[in-house]
């Protein structure tokens, strides 16, 4: 959809997300798969946040950050998946100009916040393993809240700049975005303006949102691994490593996918491959994170069991009172 201007150009008023439109025979299968993924993602992350809130003994830094990560990933997934599901149902792949940049803003903001939140969680594990005697003093409630707010504010401010610069470009057509959501690289390819300045700004801000937290996370884990290797007993090393192995796995998948998607060459073959890796960090990672963080965590599993038992008990009491 386009609007004609006096200078004989057209301004795009709507974009078309090609996404998985190139697989017409698989639409029903993909609808079922992505709907299941969305349900599991929402259920898993809401469960984690709810259990942490409901159990006072889990009100500690590690679980505080985990609950916030779960909330963030619930929002993160909801910026992308509902629109994908709607396109499968009504076979309409269009998104308005404003709608596209709103999605772009929230996706960029949440991705940047998650990147810094991962580094904060790495610091928490560093203090727990390398400075256990100072853990309670260093990771106090005030610092935890400040670190969390800083993560969100960096995402909010950085994404505001990137969205503003990208939205000020002229989009004269074509209007088909070769992706399943509004991401900056496919958007810039559609612009009929000189995008060099915008690309520079986005590269600088994108690097600021990924490289510092990535390097900080790597440095934290180097210190953690060195400390663990110095522990004399095998059981002690195993116990220390188990406290951070889940986070290390999640961080590896997240940053690995980001690096492949945003640093790899932008050839036609790589664009198709990038879609696959984009599915990893936008859709699959938020789904598997609850399982990775909780399956090996006995304390959390026990808290889930107690919470479920409490809910069932309350339900039975309510039903008994209702019958009386």
């Amino acid at each position: 959809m386009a609007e004609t201007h006096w200078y004989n150009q057209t301004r795009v008023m709507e974009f078309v997300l090609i996404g998985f439109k190139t697989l017409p025979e698989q639409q029903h299968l993909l609808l079922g798969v992505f709907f299941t993924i969305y349900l599991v993602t929402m259920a898993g992350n809401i469960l984690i946040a709810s259990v942490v809130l409901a159990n006072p003994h889990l009100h500690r830094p590690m679980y505080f950050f985990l609950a916030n990560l779960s909330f963030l990933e619930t929002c993160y997934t909801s910026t992308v998946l509902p629109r994908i599901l709607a396109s499968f149902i009504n076979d309409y792949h269009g998104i308005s100009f404003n709608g596209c940049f709103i999605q772009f803003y929230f996706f960029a903001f949440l991705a940047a916040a998650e990147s810094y939140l991962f580094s904060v969680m790495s610091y928490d594990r560093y203090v727990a393993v390398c400075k256990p005697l100072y853990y309670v003093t260093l990771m106090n409630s005030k610092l935890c809240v400040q670190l969390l707010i800083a993560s969100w504010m960096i995402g909010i401010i950085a994404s505001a700049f990137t969205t503003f610069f990208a939205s000020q470009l002229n989009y004269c057509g074509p209007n088909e975005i070769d992706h399943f959501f509004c991401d900056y690289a496919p958007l810039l390819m559609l612009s009929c303006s000189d995008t060099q300045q915008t690309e520079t700004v986005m590269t600088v801000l994108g690097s600021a949102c990924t490289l510092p937290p990535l390097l900080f996370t790597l440095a934290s884990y180097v210190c953690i691994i060195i400390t663990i290797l110095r522990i004399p007993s095998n059981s002690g090393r195993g116990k220390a490593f188990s406290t951070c192995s889940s986070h290390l796995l999640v961080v590896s998948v997240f940053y690995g996918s980001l690096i492949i998607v945003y640093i790899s060459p932008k050839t036609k073959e790589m664009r198709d491959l990038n879609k696959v890796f984009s599915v990893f960090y936008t859709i699959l990672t938020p789904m598997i994170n609850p399982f990775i963080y909780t399956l090996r965590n006995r304390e959390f599993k026990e808290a889930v069991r107690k919470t479920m038992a409490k809910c069932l008990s309350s339900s039975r009491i309510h039903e008994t009172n209702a019958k009386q």
Side-chain angles (χ1 to χ4, degrees):
M1 189 182 295
E3 181 183 290
T4 306
H5 288 267
W6 61 271
Y7 47 83
N8 201 31
Q9 284 189 338
T10 57
R11 178 169 177 260
V12 169
M13 301 300 290
E14 182 183 72
F15 293 105
V16 176
L17 293 167
I18 295 176
F20 304 98
K21 191 179 177 182
T22 53
L23 302 169
E25 305 86 4
Q26 308 296 329
Q27 297 295 292
H28 293 296
L29 174 62
L30 290 172
L31 171 61
V33 170
F34 284 123
F35 182 69
T36 303
I37 288 173
Y38 189 53
L39 286 181
V40 172
T41 301
M42 297 298 285
N45 284 292
I46 290 173
L47 176 65
I48 287 178
S50 301
V51 170
V52 171
L53 285 173
N55 291 270
H57 72 281
L58 294 182
H59 293 178
R60 303 201 302 271
M62 182 177 76
Y63 294 108
F64 172 73
F65 294 130
L66 181 58
N68 279 279
L69 177 65
S70 295
F71 173 73
L72 189 150
E73 293 199 322
T74 300
C75 301
Y76 187 59
T77 305
S78 296
T79 62
V80 177
L81 263 178
R83 179 165 287 278
I84 294 176
L85 295 174
S87 68
F88 288 139
I89 294 170
N90 56 29
D91 198 29
Y92 176 69
H93 300 266
I95 182 171
S96 68
F97 183 90
N98 290 335
C100 186
F101 282 98
I102 289 172
Q103 185 189 56
F104 173 72
Y105 170 78
F106 279 102
F107 178 80
F109 145 50
L110 293 167
E114 183 169 15
S115 182
Y116 271 91
L117 183 56
F118 277 140
S119 69
V120 169
M121 294 173 76
S122 299
Y123 175 70
D124 172 67
R125 293 299 84 206
Y126 160 76
V127 176
V129 174
C130 301
K131 300 181 182 293
L133 298 178
Y134 300 97
Y135 183 77
V136 175
T137 305
L138 291 174
M139 298 305 295
N140 56 71
S141 299
K142 183 180 178 181
L143 178 64
C144 290
V145 171
Q146 288 173 341
L147 290 172
L148 182 66
I149 291 174
S151 299
W152 284 77
M153 289 305 299
I154 289 170
I156 289 171
I157 295 169
S159 58
F161 277 102
T162 56
T163 305
F164 172 77
F165 277 96
S167 64
Q168 296 306 300
L169 297 173
N170 291 319
Y171 296 89
C172 315
N175 67 337
E176 291 188 337
I177 298 175
D178 189 14
H179 216 323
F180 55 86
F181 69 98
C182 293
D183 200 7
Y184 88 91
L187 271 172
L188 293 188
M189 291 177 65
L190 300 182
S191 175
C192 51
S193 305
D194 181 6
T195 62
Q196 184 174 358
Q197 183 180 9
T198 302
E199 286 184 43
T200 302
V201 170
M202 289 191 164
T203 300
V204 170
L205 290 174
S207 299
C209 289
T210 52
L211 287 179
L214 173 59
L215 293 175
F216 187 84
T217 299
L218 289 174
S220 297
Y221 274 102
V222 167
C223 294
I224 288 170
I225 291 170
I226 290 173
T227 301
I228 290 174
L229 292 176
R230 288 175 179 168
I231 297 174
S233 66
N234 291 331
S235 60
R237 284 196 294 268
K239 185 177 179 181
F241 188 72
S242 67
T243 64
C244 53
S245 58
S246 300
H247 181 64
L248 181 59
L249 176 60
V250 170
V251 165
S252 300
V253 173
F254 179 79
Y255 284 118
S257 301
L258 279 180
I259 290 169
I260 291 172
V261 169
Y262 293 106
I263 297 182
S264 59
K266 300 299 184 285
T267 61
K268 177 63 173 66
E269 294 76 14
M270 286 306 300
R271 283 203 301 272
D272 292 336
L273 188 60
N274 283 350
K275 281 187 191 178
V276 176
F277 283 103
S278 294
V279 170
F280 272 93
Y281 77 88
T282 59
I283 297 173
L284 293 181
T285 302
M287 180 188 71
I288 64 175
N289 281 358
F291 297 99
I292 293 174
Y293 278 116
T294 60
L295 282 179
R296 296 179 60 192
N297 190 319
R298 293 180 182 177
E299 185 179 30
F300 188 85
K301 286 191 288 187
E302 182 64 20
V304 171
R305 189 188 66 78
K306 289 181 178 179
T307 303
M308 293 295 185
K310 190 184 297 183
C311 289
L312 289 173
S313 177
S314 299
S315 176
R316 286 169 186 166
I317 292 172
H318 180 73
E319 287 177 3
T320 303
N321 292 337
K323 288 177 181 179
Q324 292 176 351

